[in-house]
Amino acid sequence: MSTNSNQFEITKFKDFNDLQNLIEKNRFPSNIAAGIKTPEVFPHTSTIKDDSGKITYFVGLCNLVMTNQKSDYEIVLDPLIIVSSPHQLNFFVRENSNTEAELHHLTQAIQPSSTEAIIAHFLLHIYDNYRTKLSHIKLQLEYLEQQSTQTTQNQELIQLKNVKKDTVLLEHTLETQHQALEHLFKLDEFSNNLQDETVIYNIKTAERQITKLVEVYRDLIDAISGLFSDIMSNHLNHLMKYLDSAALIISVPSLIAGLWGMNTGGLPSRHTSVGFWSMVAVSGLLAFITWIILRFKKFND
């Protein structure tokens, strides 16, 4: 049965306790808010049947808190609950959430003929938000890839860790939401009331594209992490090579000075005034020869 789009409401809640009170007031199942404090595992779809056999379904989703700054790649999930009964559609959203404004803009832009059309187009809008946020992550990954060849300071490594954390968070959210939407699309009360049957295909296509992008960016993060590790190892190898070479060069005059300083007879120039300077000259010459050998020696032959 198609439902008029005017029977569409947005109910705002302050916190979890406020949401629970609204659920009790409307006599909804208490478990529809389960997991909302951990949004990445919150998405779900459930149904109840009234005495007349009519179905009311509940869909828990995760939108994103969006910003206009392209450098802001942080994933902030914005959970909400959709309640669709035979006579009304209600969105339960957080206060000060951008979801409310997005819903008003969406309903004015598309002029939906049914509440199911509102839900479907809102799902497409959510995945547009995901795509926008992934474009921000892509910019951050490009920056980190560029920085990996120039610096290995803690700031870039911390940024890389944060990007990886957000990508993992988004990956698991999409996985949970996929299961919720699969359940929703199988409901006759939803799919039969969509006049445009291609919208479900469009949602699935958008979902598949976003999921694939997350997988691609996760692999890029692993590649950049490996690049950082390889560059740091290479820098460490060069440092150890420098220190080992310096120690070897210093050891040559140290050996000669140690031999000359032994309290034994027969040392050349021991009792002459030029003995010390002779030892210094020989030591410097041998150290210089050692430096020349190490300077042009190829250790990768």
Side-chain angles (χ1 to χ4, degrees), residues 49-55 86:
K49 184 182 296 185
D50 59 19
D51 296 336
S52 62
K54 295 181 178 179
I55 297 293

Side-chain angles (χ1 to χ4, degrees), residues 140 143-144 146-162 224-225 227-229 231-233 235:
Q140 186 65 17
Y143 166 77
L144 289 172
Q146 180 183 7
Q147 290 299 107
S148 67
T149 61
Q150 302 175 7
T151 179
T152 55
Q153 295 183 357
N154 289 338
Q155 180 179 356
E156 281 69 28
L157 295 176
I158 292 173
Q159 289 181 5
L160 181 61
K161 182 265 296 182
N162 291 336
I224 294 175
S225 298
L227 182 59
F228 268 105
S229 299
I231 290 176
M232 286 189 291
S233 297
H235 288 173

Side-chain angles (χ1 to χ4, degrees), residues 65-108:
V65 176
M66 298 299 297
T67 63
N68 294 325
Q69 298 179 358
K70 293 184 178 180
S71 59
D72 184 6
Y73 59 88
E74 183 180 4
I75 299 295
V76 181
L77 297 174
D78 185 15
L80 65 136
I81 299 176
I82 302 174
V83 180
S84 180
S85 66
H87 306 291
Q88 186 175 2
L89 174 66
N90 202 330
F91 282 73
F92 290 82
V93 302
R94 293 182 183 273
E95 286 188 354
N96 303 320
S97 169
N98 58 307
T99 299
E100 180 183 5
E102 291 174 356
L103 282 168
H104 285 304
H105 177 75
L106 183 68
T107 53
Q108 293 174 2

Side-chain angles (χ1 to χ4, degrees), residues 31 58 76 112 130-131 153 171 191 196 222 228 232 244 287 290:
N31 63 348
F58 308 88
V76 181
Y130 285 148
R131 186 176 285 105
Q153 295 183 357
E171 180 181 14
S191 57
D196 184 5
D222 292 338
F228 268 105
M232 286 189 291
D244 290 342
T290 304

Side-chain angles (χ1 to χ4, degrees), residues 239-252:
L239 176 61
M240 294 305 298
K241 178 181 177 181
Y242 170 79
L243 293 176
D244 290 342
S245 298
L248 183 58
I249 293 171
I250 294 174
S251 68
V252 173

